[in-house]
Amino acid sequence: MIQFVLLISRQGKVRLTKWYSPYTQKERSKVIRELSGVILSRGPKLCNFVEWRGLKVVYKRYASLYFCMCIDQEDNELEVLEIIHHYVEILDRYFGSVSELRLWFIVCELDLIFNFHKAYYVLDELLIAGELQESSKKTVARQIAAQDSLVEAAKEQASSISNIISQATK
């Protein structure tokens, strides 16, 4: 089971966190500080798996971001690497199709900063309770498109209601 997901920039800034196990706020801060130090200090040629506190941390660097997932000792590291890559591919499709992944990540960190709620939504469609929910990229893309259309419809409805209210109060 995935315990938590972290997205960390090369500068050590946390861009996204998702916790599937109970941690207090103090523990979360300590975990982020420790893992940031461990992962950012590792060389690029080293293995993408780190044993940490009786758990395993699987991470992958894509340009300026480290995608990290902490898993139980008995879980398969290669499967988690595939889940990370799967998440990256879905984000790539969602935030704009650019053929070269490195070029996409120049934009992606900003997309994650300004549209973090959408990145969380994509992650929630992919994982539930620390387990892979959906392996089909097309299905996830359809769910995200449906959510976006609901959000747009709600915005239009709110706009029309506010217009009616403003006209009624004149």
Side-chain angles (χ1 to χ4, degrees):
M1 179 181 120
I2 297 171
Q3 302 291 320
F4 55 84
V5 177
L6 298 175
L7 269 65
I8 305 169
S9 71
R10 281 190 306 170
Q11 293 77 30
K13 301 237 185 246
V14 177
R15 298 300 180 201
L16 181 138
T17 61
K18 184 73 174 183
W19 304 87
Y20 298 106
S21 295
Y23 287 87
T24 66
Q25 192 59 43
K26 190 174 183 180
E27 289 173 325
R28 289 178 183 189
S29 298
K30 186 175 180 184
V31 165
I32 291 169
R33 194 172 42 254
E34 282 181 26
L35 282 180
S36 295
V38 169
I39 292 170
L40 293 175
S41 66
R42 290 176 58 89
K45 301 276 186 192
L46 294 177
C47 177
N48 289 348
F49 316 131
V50 177
E51 290 197 13
W52 176 79
R53 291 189 184 178
L55 299 167
K56 288 188 271 190
V57 177
V58 179
Y59 69 93
K60 180 78 173 144
R61 180 179 167 198
Y62 289 94
S64 65
L65 290 171
Y66 287 89
F67 289 74
C68 313
M69 293 188 180
C70 182
I71 59 173
D72 296 327
Q73 276 290 342
E74 62 274 357
D75 288 341
N76 186 338
E77 302 94 342
L78 296 177
E79 178 184 9
V80 176
L81 269 178
E82 283 298 314
I83 291 171
I84 290 171
H85 189 68
H86 190 62
Y87 181 50
V88 168
E89 288 179 331
I90 293 169
L91 287 174
D92 182 34
R93 283 188 185 181
Y94 182 71
F95 285 121
S97 295
V98 175
S99 59
E100 187 154 340
L101 210 53
R102 289 182 187 264
L103 178 61
W104 173 76
F105 269 99
I106 293 169
V107 177
C108 177
E109 189 169 355
L110 289 175
D111 286 332
L112 291 175
I113 291 168
F114 294 114
N115 299 306
F116 63 91
H117 55 285
K118 293 180 181 181
Y120 277 109
Y121 184 74
V122 171
L123 187 60
D124 289 341
E125 284 298 315
L126 188 64
L127 300 173
I128 286 185
E131 299 291 341
L132 183 65
Q133 170 189 320
E134 183 57 61
S135 61
S136 169
K137 292 176 206 150
K138 288 181 182 178
T139 302
V140 172
R142 273 196 303 271
Q143 294 296 328
I144 295 166
Q147 175 68 16
D148 285 346
S149 65
L150 285 173
V151 168
E152 288 302 316
K155 284 181 183 177
E156 288 174 11
Q157 186 178 13
S159 174
S160 65
I161 289 172
S162 63
N163 286 342
I164 292 170
I165 291 172
S166 67
Q167 288 176 359
T169 57
K170 286 183 180 180

